[in-house]
Amino acid sequence: VGGIGENVGEVGEGRSWGGGTSPLTLETHPTIVVGFGFLIVGLVSTAVIVPRRGYVVTRGHGFGLIALYAAYMACVVIVEVRTKSGGTKSESSPVVEASSSLGKTR
């Protein structure tokens, strides 16, 4: 009789939830790199500026962060327009698969 936690550790023993041992592949998009770049710039600038000002966030720093966000949005739009994919495969494939299987009978 199986108890609670009997199968604990099966995934870590070379097996995966899908039954195979191949690693999970994730699709990436250039906007992810742009996002991480702007995130690092915002966090590092805040980590440097705020302690130097006595841990007071000034209005100028707030406007700077808003300007950084506006620049980020502009860069993401430009990158998205220039990439040929128009999105990741995982976003578009379920719609294509669902619409192509509607008319088929088994």
Side-chain angles (χ1 to χ4, degrees), residues 15-85:
R15 293 183 233 150
S16 65
W17 291 108
T21 58
S22 63
L24 178 66
T25 57
L26 298 175
E27 305 238 357
T28 60
H29 198 268
T31 56
I32 295 172
V33 177
V34 172
F36 276 118
F38 277 95
L39 177 67
I40 295 299
V41 168
L43 289 175
V44 169
S45 67
T46 300
V48 169
I49 292 172
V50 172
R52 286 186 176 194
R53 302 227 170 138
Y55 295 96
V56 175
V57 179
T58 62
R59 185 178 298 224
H61 184 69
F63 284 132
L65 290 176
I66 292 171
L68 184 67
Y69 177 71
Y72 161 71
M73 291 304 290
C75 287
V76 167
V77 168
I78 290 169
V79 167
E80 190 67 32
V81 167
R82 290 188 179 191
T83 56
K84 294 180 182 179
S85 65

